[in-house]
Amino acid sequence: MSASQSAVRSRAEAVAVSRTFDWMILFVLFTAVLGGYHIHFMLTGGDWDFWSDWKDRRLWVTVVPIVAITFPAAVQACLWWRYRLPIGATLCVLALLLGEWINRYMNFWGWTYFPINICFPSQLIPGAIILDVVLMLSGSMTLTAVAGGLGWGLIFYPSNWPVIAPLHQPVEYNGMMFTLADLSGYHYVRTGTPEYIRMVEKGTLRTFGKDVAPVSAFFSGFVSVIIYFLWHFFGKWFAGTGFIADDAS
Amino acid sequence: MKIIKDKVASLSFVALLMALTAAMFYAPTASAHGEKSQAAFMRMRTIHWYDLNWSKDEVAVNETVTISGKFHVFSGWPESVDEPDVSFLNIGIPGPVFIRAGSWIGGQLVPRSVALSLGETYDFKVLLKARRPGDWHVHTMMNVQGGGPIIGPGKWVTITGSMSQFVNPIVTLTGKTLDLETYNIGNIYFWHAVWYAVGVAWMWYWAKGPIFIPRQLAVASGKANTLISAGDKKVGIAFLVGTIVANAVLMGTTNEAYPVTTPLQAGTMRGIIPLELPVPSVSVVVDDATYRVPGRAMQMSLTITNNGDSSVRLGEFMTASVRFLEPNVLEDETGYPDDLLAEEGLTVSDNSPLAPGETRSVSVTASDAAWEVYRLADLIYDPDSRFAGLLFFFDEAGNRQMVMVDAPLIPSFI
């Protein structure tokens, strides 16, 4: 067989090779995103995502969606404009959560013995599905950024509430009130994480009484729209194939 | 080329074997907390821990150990470290091998950061409940915002038993009793598994058909619009609506299940009450101080005046948690960590009782290997070459007075 001949000899073989190629690329993409997105998210979301006593109704709700929409926007740009595949956001979040769960279970629990109920990751999958479906239905980057990005921010708190609400029950302990999450953070000693670096319930958002989570979620969604645009362009640029002579797209 | 590749492969294999073998034969336990690496001036001129007591050396899982004592916040706090306006009484242990069942400063529970005042002395207590079996080095520790961790003395405590027996029972304000060690874990796993399955289902819907090559060819040939069918859109709408409705319903049912929830508690605690210590009747002036590098000894020339009504003798010099004792005056009976205790480390040129009203100039030498072992000798490389510490004087009845000293230190290299 010469170099100019096809490697396959029938349509069935071509389909089989194509499917093998699909799974190989999907696996490589999944693991590459897992690594890159996980590092990015640990560096930017960090403690807000690590600890239950950082998951507050102000900064956690605000920060995590904003820093988490980055890779989904970029991978969506690649998979949608090149392949019309509306799975970029979900693929990213599934990869991130798999990496996070491996880390939390193997390291946080298995190595340093923090109970999982203090170090579980935030839930991002509902937001990813909204992003992917809005992109698929609209075919528009602008609409996905505006409607999808806003939805991504707005659904974050409700999608996590079933898991964190039990930890926000109040406890009286030695004459002070805690939530169970606060008490976990106090009980399970983090030598390198003193209490004062915990950025929770800070800020000047005091005119909405106790209902600050929806306001924070709206703000988070709004900023997520902007970040989506930015990272979508990063993704488009990164997925470019201009380095191939006959493909200037 | 093949020869080079083979060589690289074989050398890599040899290197891997050597690394594994080295790890098998020499894998020491990492049990330090970096206390020796911390700049000497930070340990000498910030927080002075003293009168420390670890209630037990060995406990079973679920039993408690209390660490109590006092700490003096040095009034000559170094400029390069932020003042302790936001500080957290922590504990230096390798992860949650104990849980911190309680911590108090001046009798006030301090689960959050506190404001401390320079020049004041506070009593403290930390209650630890044993969780994970092993031998653990347990340090006192104060984290200072803008300054970092200021670690105090550490002592080995052994935990026996099995971690599977550990329980952490809590009663909520709604009357529910639960074990914080395991509470809510099943719920966390369940909802993460459910949403992961939903995400995988969405992925599977698209990955079950050709993904990359045929779709890329279709997009490149201008047929991108044919790749999303009406059926795809219906499935997408089902996922979208299902996700939104599910979250709305779950929010409602969760609120019904947990009608009483509160926000996380935060904020610096102020107004911590310091100890009211009597004003010392002994005054000390440091005339000069030198650190003799070859002899691992610090020598101070002191002018001591006794303004009290009973004679006193110098019994101890303490700095950076290292205690230099004058054996004729003081013996340690508290079980203080051996490596931090120089039982015969303090000599005084004339330590006869200093009578009331008397002033005497003496030469005091604090010498011990601890200067090197604890890297306090590195003080001579600090940007502000000063030392500080606590002097303890004792009268005939055994009453103790604490006097703080703070002065420039001149190194001597010969």
Side-chain angles (χ1 to χ4, degrees):
Chain A
M1 189 181 74
S2 72
S4 61
Q5 284 179 306
S6 172
V8 294
R9 285 162 293 184
S10 66
R11 177 175 165 72
E13 263 190 21
V15 169
V17 168
S18 171
R19 288 303 285 160
T20 304
F21 187 73
D22 280 348
W23 292 116
M24 286 170 61
I25 292 295
L26 203 57
F27 176 77
V28 171
L29 180 65
F30 190 84
T31 47
V33 167
L34 188 158
Y37 192 17
H38 196 182
I39 290 171
H40 160 87
F41 195 57
M42 281 201 293
L43 291 175
T44 53
D47 289 309
W48 275 295
D49 192 63
F50 291 157
W51 310 110
S52 65
D53 65 337
W54 281 65
K55 291 180 167 67
D56 72 334
R57 55 191 182 154
R58 292 168 189 266
L59 287 162
W60 172 61
V61 185
T62 305
V63 173
V64 169
I66 292 171
V67 300
I69 201 170
T70 50
F71 272 61
V75 176
Q76 267 196 338
C78 172
L79 293 185
W80 179 255
W81 299 116
R82 290 261 161 210
Y83 309 101
R84 283 295 185 275
L85 275 172
I87 57 170
T90 308
L91 181 143
C92 286
V93 168
L94 289 177
L96 173 68
L97 280 170
L98 179 65
E100 286 192 319
W101 270 112
I102 292 170
N103 181 27
R104 307 302 163 89
Y105 195 83
M106 304 295 285
N107 297 336
F108 282 63
W109 163 243
W111 195 7
T112 49
Y113 295 88
F114 285 102
I116 288 296
N117 61 11
I118 189 179
C119 60
F120 57 90
S122 308
Q123 182 57 264
L124 293 164
I125 291 171
I129 286 172
I130 289 177
L131 274 180
D132 278 342
V133 175
V134 170
L135 179 62
M136 184 199 72
L137 293 176
S138 68
S140 160
M141 183 193 79
T142 307
L143 203 63
T144 307
V146 175
L150 196 60
W152 166 270
L154 285 177
I155 208 160
F156 177 73
Y157 196 75
S159 63
N160 280 278
W161 187 238
V163 164
I164 65 165
L167 299 175
H168 280 238
Q169 295 177 88
V171 181
E172 187 270 328
Y173 191 76
N174 285 316
M176 287 181 71
M177 196 187 83
F178 294 74
T179 65
L180 288 172
D182 293 316
L183 199 57
S184 288
Y186 178 59
H187 275 179
Y188 295 92
V189 177
R190 291 164 292 192
T191 304
T193 311
E195 191 274 342
Y196 53 72
I197 67 165
R198 192 169 67 122
M199 290 179 67
V200 300
E201 295 294 328
K202 292 186 189 296
T204 54
L205 197 61
R206 306 290 174 195
T207 52
F208 296 88
K210 62 186 175 60
D211 300 314
V212 293
V215 184
S216 302
F218 261 107
F219 178 72
S220 180
F222 177 71
V223 180
S224 294
V225 171
I226 298 166
I227 300 295
Y228 183 92
F229 273 116
L230 189 67
W231 278 74
H232 195 93
F233 284 121
F234 285 162
K236 256 188 149 175
W237 169 77
F238 197 72
T241 53
F243 51 86
I244 299 172
D246 60 350
D247 185 355
S249 60
Chain B
M1 188 67 187
K2 187 177 181 304
I3 293 170
I4 294 173
K5 276 185 179 174
D6 288 348
K7 274 204 160 183
V8 168
S10 60
L11 284 173
S12 301
F13 185 67
V14 170
L16 182 67
L17 276 179
M18 285 173 69
L20 282 173
T21 310
M24 275 190 288
F25 283 101
Y26 183 68
T29 306
S31 54
H33 291 104
E35 64 268 31
K36 295 174 188 173
S37 299
Q38 200 163 43
F41 80 96
M42 267 193 78
R43 286 176 283 159
M44 281 186 171
R45 295 174 53 203
T46 52
I47 303 283
H48 292 284
W49 307 85
Y50 68 101
D51 285 354
L52 297 184
N53 179 262
W54 287 257
S55 65
K56 296 170 192 167
D57 294 334
E58 183 172 328
V59 285
V61 166
N62 288 318
E63 289 181 354
T64 58
V65 180
T66 303
I67 302 171
S68 56
K70 303 182 183 79
F71 62 86
H72 178 77
V73 185
F74 184 52
S75 55
W77 193 275
E79 189 186 342
S80 53
V81 179
D82 282 3
E83 291 187 9
D85 299 326
V86 181
S87 310
F88 181 62
L89 177 62
N90 211 335
I91 197 79
I93 49 177
V97 295
F98 291 88
I99 66 161
R100 176 173 35 217
S103 54
W104 294 263
I105 300 177
Q108 165 74 54
L109 185 77
V110 287
R112 307 204 298 265
S113 300
V114 298
L116 301 174
S117 301
L118 299 188
E120 298 286 3
T121 300
Y122 300 84
D123 65 354
F124 79 96
K125 187 172 79 172
V126 180
L127 180 67
L128 301 173
K129 183 174 173 183
R131 180 168 177 257
R132 184 178 159 207
D135 296 321
W136 311 113
H137 210 208
V138 181
H139 285 265
T140 57
M141 187 162 136
M142 184 71 73
N143 292 90
V144 175
Q145 192 173 40
I150 298 169
I151 202 156
K155 191 167 183 179
W156 289 98
V157 179
T158 301
I159 300 177
T160 58
S162 165
M163 191 170 137
S164 62
Q165 304 299 313
F166 178 77
V167 288
N168 191 8
I170 298 292
V171 181
T172 68
L173 282 175
T174 53
K176 195 184 294 179
T177 302
L178 49 90
D179 182 357
L180 197 55
E181 178 80 0
T182 54
Y183 179 65
N184 199 39
I185 290 178
N187 186 48
I188 293 166
Y189 284 147
F190 177 78
W191 285 114
H192 270 266
V194 165
W195 282 112
Y196 208 89
V198 173
V200 169
W202 176 250
M203 286 281 293
W204 179 252
Y205 177 77
W206 292 98
K208 67 184 181 348
I211 311 177
F212 291 107
I213 297 174
R215 296 182 78 94
Q216 198 274 335
L217 290 173
V219 170
S221 60
K223 296 174 185 169
N225 291 338
T226 64
L227 292 174
I228 304 293
S229 68
D232 293 338
K233 290 186 177 178
K234 283 178 187 166
V235 170
I237 290 170
F239 268 88
L240 180 67
V241 173
T243 297
I244 294 170
V245 169
N247 276 287
V249 171
L250 282 172
M251 187 86 182
T253 54
T254 304
N255 285 336
E256 279 179 25
Y258 303 97
V260 180
T261 56
T262 52
L264 297 180
Q265 303 294 295
T268 303
M269 299 169 69
R270 302 185 191 281
I272 301 295
I273 301 168
L275 282 173
E276 286 188 19
L277 297 177
V279 178
S281 58
V282 178
S283 66
V284 177
V285 175
V286 182
D287 300 318
D288 62 60
T290 56
Y291 178 72
R292 206 162 70 82
V293 177
R296 297 185 302 200
M298 194 184 80
Q299 188 176 43
M300 300 174 270
S301 297
L302 307 178
T303 300
I304 306 169
T305 303
N306 183 0
N307 300 308
D309 52 12
S310 61
S311 58
V312 296
R313 299 172 77 192
L314 177 59
E316 178 181 347
F317 171 62
M318 199 206 76
T319 185
S321 302
V322 180
R323 298 178 64 196
F324 299 89
L325 305 188
E326 212 285 44
N328 299 315
V329 180
L330 180 64
E331 280 183 31
D332 177 68
E333 294 170 351
T334 65
Y336 197 74
D338 289 340
D339 51 336
L340 292 164
L341 189 66
E343 287 174 298
E344 298 179 2
L346 195 69
T347 52
V348 185
S349 58
D350 179 0
N351 206 19
S352 59
L354 185 69
E358 185 184 352
T359 296
R360 184 186 299 163
S361 292
V362 294
S363 173
V364 177
T365 304
S367 60
D368 193 81
W371 285 106
E372 280 296 329
V373 173
Y374 274 83
R375 298 186 189 172
L376 297 177
D378 289 356
L379 184 69
I380 58 177
Y381 303 113
D382 282 344
D384 183 5
S385 189
R386 298 178 71 87
F387 82 100
L390 303 176
L391 292 173
F392 292 98
F393 291 88
F394 296 82
D395 66 14
E396 287 161 354
N399 298 315
R400 188 181 67 174
Q401 294 191 54
M402 182 183 84
V403 179
M404 200 182 63
V405 287
D406 170 27
L409 185 74
I410 309 296
S412 165
F413 299 98
I414 50 175

